[in-house]
Amino acid sequence: MVSYMGAVLYGFVGIVVAVMALLVAFQEKLVYVPVLPGLTKSYQVTPARLHLLYEDVWLRSSDGVRLHAWFIKVLPESRGPTVLFFQENAGNIAHRLEMVRIMIQRLQCNVFMLSYRGYGESDGYPSQHGITKDAQAALDHLSQRTDIDTSRIVVFGRSLGGAVGALLTKNNPDKVNALILENTFTSIMDLAGVLFPFLKWFIGGTGSKAPKLLNFLVRSPWSTIDIVGQIKQPILFLSGLQDEMVPPFHMQMLYDKAAAHNRECVFVDFPNGMHMDTWLVGGDHYWRTIQQFLEKHVPEIKEHESSHDAKILRGGDFM
């Protein structure tokens, strides 16, 4: 009996050690996938191919990593809203160009597409600590531009990009005016148990009942559920109910957490939307939802309104 129990104990310890080794060695490769199977790290297409007006932007993150981005403008002199777009974990920004092309047409907005470190033409290796710095560098760059309306900057993140965008929005209430989250997970710890069921016995997020024995090994937790309730700006939640990667209840949990503290939260679901194609199958309803959100929270300021505000600041209306 003693030997049997000892064997069970040794077996359990062996499993834990094996899981620890896997987490330590391969977690970045599981979370970040800069290169899709069968493709190269380089861009397969550029905005020029889609006849989009753009510039290549090169940035330095605060730790010195060289980053690449595309800034795509709807018109040369456009003062419309500017969307800072953060992509999913797999592939690079070139794989999102068709969606962005339609976004620009439908919303009449500018779009800034950042390549995370280790993605596309950006240097370095991806990590939560590093990508957080990359996102801040992108926002700081936009905030300093003189050819856009910096009072109309909106962060848009899908999946992993939603986690990146939520943290950036929380940290920059004076620079980000609104946030859009699409098919975003509550945390990597929660998602790991969905994608790799055996891990749910060892790691888990805030609401998980798992023992969480190995949470300390997770270097990129991306715990959006712990961030979203601290965001003061308006948030639009876009959820594809057929999402095969991130269970839709993750988005519902994020909304519930945010809405408990923020009255400017809107949740819209798309019954046929999957993880990557919600924007496509959502069709006109998808784009109208975003357009109405932007019109409400980052409205265009007419020239006569600006003049009126200037008069008020000068005391002109009191003379």
Side-chain angles (χ1 to χ4, degrees):
M1 180 67 179
V2 174
S3 61
Y4 172 76
M5 293 302 295
V8 171
L9 179 60
Y10 280 123
F12 177 76
V13 171
I15 292 173
V16 172
V17 171
V19 172
M20 289 176 66
L22 287 171
L23 282 174
V24 170
F26 298 111
Q27 63 178 274
E28 271 78 22
K29 292 184 178 180
L30 295 174
V31 176
Y32 309 109
V33 188
V35 182
L36 293 171
L39 298 179
T40 63
K41 184 173 180 284
S42 61
Y43 303 131
Q44 302 297 305
V45 65
T46 70
R49 188 84 163 281
L50 300 181
H51 307 290
L52 296 171
L53 180 68
Y54 82 105
E55 66 177 275
D56 285 296
V57 178
W58 295 95
L59 307 170
R60 289 279 178 184
S61 63
S62 61
D63 58 353
V65 176
R66 186 170 180 258
L67 306 171
H68 177 254
W70 285 327
F71 184 47
I72 308 174
K73 299 192 74 173
V74 60
L75 292 170
E77 303 301 324
S78 172
R79 306 296 289 183
T82 295
V83 173
L84 175 51
F85 180 77
F86 296 119
Q87 67 162 74
E88 308 88 330
N89 74 320
N92 59 52
I93 55 177
H95 301 126
R96 280 80 194 175
L97 272 176
E98 180 58 25
M99 179 264 189
V100 166
R101 180 184 68 83
I102 297 174
M103 178 190 294
I104 291 169
Q105 290 178 348
R106 293 296 302 261
L107 305 179
Q108 292 296 292
C109 63
N110 309 309
V111 179
F112 192 92
M113 304 178 73
L114 172 70
S115 278
Y116 307 135
R117 61 183 61 201
Y119 283 69
E121 294 185 11
S122 293
D123 296 339
Y125 300 92
S127 67
Q128 177 170 338
H129 183 69
I131 291 176
T132 298
K133 293 179 180 295
D134 301 346
Q136 188 64 54
L139 178 60
D140 290 344
H141 169 83
L142 283 178
S143 299
Q144 294 165 11
R145 293 187 71 113
T146 58
D147 60 340
I148 66 170
D149 185 344
T150 56
S151 70
R152 303 180 74 192
I153 295 176
V154 178
V155 169
F156 188 148
R158 180 183 292 140
S159 192
L160 171 66
V164 177
L167 183 57
L168 181 71
T169 300
K170 190 268 289 186
N171 290 339
N172 293 271
D174 57 333
K175 293 181 179 179
V176 177
N177 297 90
L179 172 66
I180 302 173
L181 299 179
E182 181 177 328
N183 296 337
T184 298
F185 46 79
T186 53
S187 73
I188 287 294
M189 284 87 75
D190 289 331
L191 188 60
V194 174
L195 300 180
F196 307 98
F198 70 93
L199 286 178
K200 69 182 179 182
W201 300 104
F202 303 101
I203 63 177
T206 301
S208 172
K209 296 179 181 179
K212 306 178 185 178
L213 296 175
L214 304 183
N215 274 17
F216 71 97
L217 291 176
V218 179
R219 293 187 291 268
S220 292
W222 290 115
S223 190
T224 310
I225 193 69
D226 295 324
I227 296 297
V228 74
Q230 303 175 52
I231 295 173
K232 307 302 182 185
Q233 300 95 313
I235 310 174
L236 173 61
F237 296 81
L238 304 172
S239 178
L241 298 186
Q242 302 303 316
D243 193 326
E244 75 285 11
M245 293 290 292
V246 178
F249 72 80
H250 279 232
M251 282 290 288
Q252 187 65 55
M253 289 177 65
L254 290 175
Y255 169 76
D256 291 343
K257 184 68 174 289
H261 306 276
N262 184 344
R263 293 185 178 181
E264 297 292 349
C265 292
V266 179
F267 185 94
V268 180
D269 59 39
F270 299 86
N272 298 317
M274 298 180 71
H275 191 63
M276 298 291 290
D277 73 355
T278 298
W279 67 273
L280 185 61
V281 300
D284 187 61
H285 176 46
Y286 177 91
W287 294 113
R288 281 192 292 105
T289 296
I290 299 176
Q291 183 177 26
Q292 290 167 3
F293 179 76
L294 296 181
E295 288 174 350
K296 180 178 180 181
H297 297 294
V298 286
E300 179 182 3
I301 299 177
K302 304 295 184 182
E303 191 169 329
H304 72 275
E305 292 175 350
S306 298
S307 300
H308 176 71
D309 291 343
K311 286 182 180 180
I312 292 177
L313 289 174
R314 295 193 303 266
D317 279 10
F318 297 94
M319 294 178 64

